[in-house]
Amino acid sequence: MAAKAAASAGRGFDGVLVFCSALRSSSSRSSARMRSGSSRPVNVVRGSARWALGAAEAENRRLVRYGDQTTLLLPRSVTEAQALVSRILGPLVSHDADHGTAYVDTLRVVLRHNRSWQLAAADLHIHEQTLGYRIRKIEQLTGLGLTSTEHLAEWWFALRAYDLLTGRSPAL
């Protein structure tokens, strides 16, 4: 009869938690076999694990399971996060990919510095006029403006969700 060894958890090189258990056959004392399994496709499990890991890092907690309650104000699932990112940041993400621009990062830096053009331009190592051009382009591409509290909130939530989806630590 096979005895189940204690489950062990390790962290893979890509930031995804991997869970395994060792099984020992009664017929061979020296041979242990590793087993792992999943009830969902690997890409879904990876996304769920990455989401939970990002939430754990953001809250400075040792363990967060996918679907656990968190203090973060974020979408509740990967699907909701993808929809939010697509709707709010989609035009910037696409433009950055197609044209080699960095509008998502520019927006992140502007929000991190509470819309201070001087601090954001210094952080980005660009002239304030260049930052002004980028901000106008961001507003043009998204249809959202830096003077609207509603738009600022949408961008903030979308950036947090984008960070969790891409495995970046969710901090502006």
Side-chain angles (χ1 to χ4, degrees):
M1 182 173 190
K4 193 177 217 180
S8 63
R11 186 172 182 188
F13 66 92
D14 63 353
V16 176
L17 291 175
V18 180
F19 296 93
C20 302
S21 64
L23 298 176
R24 185 174 297 271
S25 170
S26 62
S27 62
S28 171
R29 294 179 194 249
S30 62
S31 65
R33 295 174 287 170
M34 294 300 290
R35 299 283 191 245
S36 63
S38 171
S39 62
R40 300 186 324 183
V42 172
N43 62 336
V44 173
V45 172
R46 180 179 296 133
S48 299
R50 184 171 282 134
W51 182 268
L53 180 60
E57 289 174 346
E59 291 188 335
N60 198 27
R61 289 173 47 190
R62 291 184 59 127
L63 176 67
V64 172
R65 291 177 183 87
Y66 182 76
D68 280 358
Q69 289 285 339
T70 69
T71 59
L72 300 174
L73 298 173
L74 291 172
R76 294 177 306 251
S77 69
V78 171
T79 304
E80 284 184 12
Q82 289 168 335
L84 177 64
V85 169
S86 177
R87 185 172 60 85
I88 303 298
L89 295 178
L92 300 181
V93 172
S94 295
H95 194 279
D96 285 354
D98 293 344
H99 301 285
T101 54
Y103 291 137
V104 172
D105 287 332
T106 299
L107 177 61
R108 180 188 316 283
V109 171
V110 169
L111 294 181
R112 182 184 316 130
H113 291 293
N114 297 311
R115 297 178 293 159
S116 167
W117 286 34
Q118 296 81 12
L119 295 175
D123 195 357
L124 292 165
H125 306 289
I126 60 175
H127 194 276
E128 287 179 32
Q129 289 180 345
T130 303
L131 179 60
Y133 167 80
R134 288 185 186 182
I135 289 171
R136 286 189 299 279
K137 188 68 173 178
I138 289 167
E139 291 175 333
Q140 176 191 9
L141 288 168
T142 63
L144 304 174
L146 279 176
T147 58
S148 166
T149 302
E150 179 182 351
H151 296 169
L152 291 171
E154 288 177 325
W155 272 331
W156 186 85
F157 283 116
L159 284 168
R160 296 289 297 242
Y162 182 71
D163 291 346
L164 287 172
L165 290 171
T166 59
R168 178 182 172 139
S169 180
L172 289 176

